[in-house]
Amino acid sequence: MEGSPALFTRTFGTELELRSIHRVQSARPMREKSFYAPTGGAARESPPELKDLVERAYIQPPAIYMESPLPPNVNYFHLTVPGDVAMLTRASEVHHQGFNGKGIKVVMIDSGFFNHQYYQSHGLKATVMLGSAAVGINKDDIGHGSAHAANVFATAPGITFGMIKQGNDSTAAFNAAVALKPQIIICSWAFDLVDENSPNRAHLTSVPSKFKSLQMAIAHAVSMGICVVCAAGNGHVAFPGMHPNVISVGGVFVDETQQLSASNFASAFDSKPFPGRHVPDFCGLCGMQPQGIYIMLPLQPGCQLDNELSSGNPFPEGDETQKTDGWTAFSGTSAAAPQIAGVCALLKQKDPSLTPHEIRQALIASAKDCSQGEANELSNEGTALSATDGVDGATGHGFVDAAAAIEIV
């Protein structure tokens, strides 16, 4: 029979303590785990009534996930973290100047954080809190948060990073993030403000009442000096990505020759609830349709995204990784937003007095022009906005340039 640690103690009179293991196989460190074991080698004597029934009581150590700190090899062009993301955003140049986000607290509201071997190998840590109705503080069964945390660490590896595991109340999760008093909050998620009964996904003209509390919470956070960075959407008419006080991040695809083009996976539109508000402000790295498969990212082995994208289909429909290897290639503006948040942390480290508005203006002024490609037509009632010379509908002010931004703050 099997039982809990508490039942073990009650039955055998043996106190248990929490221990850790760290095993090595083929010279590659595997996951460190915790488990209960008798304190100081204490004896485990069966009570008299079980003497003839129990031969031996065992404590079974936990299984160890076989994810690797190294990404798998795949046969198509893709980016890796941290190197490619840091290089293309020019964050790596800023790191060499001594700015890596140290002392800046960044909080991400997402599906959770799984302490993948990748993070351990790079010395990257996260403090996790549970949002309303969220469970499993050490798990990320979806994989979204665990993966995109690698994007913010790529551009700002020195930050103090927190994750609010989002439950069933986004406003409560956002308020929990604000309570941690960060300088930057990341929202790589959105609500789609469209009329679902409209053939062209007509935009709603006002923010539904059910999102008003989130709208006000964001405005309040920014007024307190917190920089809120939001994804523009992957074909969505994204709220809070359209909120006038946030940094709204779209997508640019950079190919093997470092040629820039607007991502047709990323949203671009003019907000009807907030007249004069265009989405996005500028862009981070994002893949292309149909799946946005672009950046190889670490996540919980066997989680939802690990299974969905490891479909067995060849690229670009699948990412050609294994279902339980703890790696998946994807992107979207969910990846671009934390990249930009990391760059915000670099600017904030250089000048802690910067306001959210000043950070946004610095990134707007320093963005690199993207003049080709078009955004996702689903976000603009069936008409894709195009990239052109200068400020445009598809990419806003262009592609982030961390090194240029750090020079002007």
Side-chain angles (χ1 to χ4, degrees), residues 76-306:
Y76 54 85
F77 172 70
H78 67 282
L79 306 182
T80 60
V81 286
D84 291 339
V85 170
M87 182 268 291
L88 292 173
T89 60
R90 296 188 72 197
S92 55
E93 296 179 42
V94 179
H95 301 163
H96 292 311
Q97 298 175 37
F99 301 107
N100 65 359
K102 184 177 180 180
I104 305 302
K105 182 185 288 187
V106 178
V107 175
M108 189 173 192
I109 305 165
D110 216 287
S111 61
F113 182 85
F114 175 77
N115 191 22
H116 193 283
Q117 185 66 41
Y118 168 85
Y119 293 115
Q120 297 179 48
S121 298
H122 285 80
L124 304 171
K125 298 179 180 179
T127 300
V128 185
M129 290 181 56
L130 295 177
S132 175
V135 296
I137 198 166
N138 297 318
K139 296 182 178 181
D140 182 6
D141 293 326
I142 296 174
H144 190 269
S146 301
H148 291 310
N151 280 293
V152 66
F153 279 129
T155 53
I159 58 172
T160 300
F161 181 69
M163 172 71 71
I164 302 293
K165 185 170 184 179
Q166 192 172 28
N168 57 8
D169 189 329
S170 297
T171 304
F174 187 87
N175 288 333
V178 171
L180 295 177
K181 299 181 179 179
Q183 285 94 338
I184 300 164
I185 293 176
I186 307 169
C187 300
S188 282
W189 44 269
F191 301 99
D192 197 13
L193 299 196
V194 297
D195 180 356
E196 296 291 352
N197 297 317
S198 168
N200 291 323
R201 288 172 43 82
H203 295 197
L204 299 183
T205 56
S206 62
V207 177
S209 297
K210 58 188 174 183
F211 302 136
K212 289 290 187 181
S213 59
L214 178 59
Q215 177 184 338
M216 291 185 288
I218 290 172
H220 178 61
V222 176
S223 73
M224 295 168 57
I226 299 174
C227 185
V228 181
V229 182
C230 297
N234 304 330
H236 311 91
V237 181
F239 177 83
M242 68 173 71
H243 196 294
N245 298 129
V246 308
I247 290 175
S248 184
V249 183
V252 160
F253 179 79
V254 182
D255 68 13
E256 300 96 318
T257 66
Q258 296 194 33
Q259 179 69 45
L260 276 61
S261 61
S263 167
N264 61 11
F265 194 68
S267 293
F269 58 91
D270 289 313
S271 170
K272 291 185 178 180
F274 304 103
R277 175 48 157 146
H278 180 74
V279 174
D281 291 315
F282 41 81
C283 298
L285 293 160
C286 179
M288 303 290 275
Q289 292 189 28
Q291 301 288 352
I293 294 172
Y294 188 36
I295 309 173
M296 190 66 71
L297 298 168
L299 33 58
Q300 181 173 318
C303 68
Q304 179 179 322
L305 285 171
D306 201 6

